[in-house]
Amino acid sequence: LRERLRDELVELRGLIGRVVPPRLAELGLTRAIEERAELILGVDGPALELQLAASGEALGDRARAVALRVVEEALHNVRRHARASRVSVRSWQDDSSWSIEVRDDGCGFDPGTSGGSDGRRFGLGLMGQRASMIDGTIAVRSRPGEGTTVTLSVPIRKEPR
C-alpha cells in the first residue's frame, strides 16, 4: 500500500508541475510576475522594485510555472512575516542558468533554526520541492534584523521546450 501511495504521489506531483497557470500562458513570465507581485503586496504593502532583465523565455513551460509559484510564495512570506518597507524582484540569465531573486529589508530570521510555528518554514520547504522538480535550486539568505533574500536558479536546457 505504501509503495502504491508513493507512486500515486509522484504521479500527482508530475501532473501539478505540468499545469501552467492561465495568466502565465497569456502574459508571459515577466508580466505575470509583475501582476502577481502588485496583487500580493497590495497598495499598502512594501514598496516594490522590479528588475526583470531576463524574460525566462529560455525556460520550458513547467520551469516558468514553478518560477512564478516560487516568486508568489516568497512574496507571500514578505507580506505575512517580514514587516518590510521595501522588496525587490530581479531576474538575470547567463549561459547555463536563469535566476530570480526576491529580496526584502524586513526583520529577517535565522534560517538555521528548525521548525517554526509561523508557517515560513513550510513555504520555504515547498519552494525547495518545486525547484527540485525542474532541477533548480533555492538559496535562502537571512539574518535577524537584516532582511531575507530568496534566489531560484534554474539550468537552461538546449533542447526544445
Side-chain angles (χ1 to χ4, degrees), residues 113-118 121-122:
T113 60
S114 61
S117 61
D118 62 4
R121 302 301 192 278
F122 177 77

Side-chain angles (χ1 to χ4, degrees):
L1 180 61
R2 281 184 193 207
E3 188 174 316
R4 173 134 190 212
L5 285 173
R6 210 170 316 171
D7 292 344
E8 294 296 326
L9 183 59
V10 167
E11 184 177 338
L12 180 60
R13 284 182 178 160
L15 289 172
I16 290 169
R18 286 190 291 274
V19 174
V20 177
R23 294 294 285 169
L24 176 58
E26 180 182 328
L27 298 174
L29 183 58
T30 298
R31 184 68 190 112
I33 288 171
E34 292 170 354
E35 183 179 272
R36 294 299 298 155
E38 291 168 2
L39 182 67
I40 291 166
L41 297 175
V43 295
D44 62 340
L48 174 64
E49 178 184 358
L50 295 167
Q51 298 176 359
L52 302 174
S55 69
E57 291 304 312
L59 304 175
D61 289 343
R62 184 176 183 187
R64 284 194 296 273
V66 166
L68 179 61
R69 295 299 186 220
V70 165
V71 170
E72 288 173 338
E73 183 63 33
L75 291 171
H76 279 295
N77 283 347
V78 170
R79 181 76 180 180
R80 288 184 200 122
H81 308 294
R83 298 189 302 271
S85 62
R86 304 186 62 72
V87 62
S88 66
V89 181
R90 72 181 187 102
S91 65
W92 66 94
Q93 182 176 323
D94 61 29
D95 291 338
S96 61
S97 66
W98 178 90
S99 299
I100 192 156
E101 170 189 274
V102 177
R103 177 184 303 228
D104 70 66
D105 67 352
C107 61
F109 66 100
D110 180 356
T113 60
S114 61
S117 61
D118 62 4
R120 182 178 3 221
R121 302 301 192 278
F122 177 77
L124 293 173
L126 186 58
M127 284 188 251
Q129 288 177 357
R130 285 182 167 152
S132 70
M133 290 170 38
I134 56 169
D135 297 326
T137 59
I138 292 285
V140 179
R141 293 185 317 275
S142 186
R143 288 173 49 158
E146 296 184 17
T148 300
T149 303
V150 175
T151 307
L152 168 68
S153 295
V154 181
I156 296 173
R157 299 213 177 2
K158 302 299 180 193
E159 66 227 26
R161 293 175 273 159

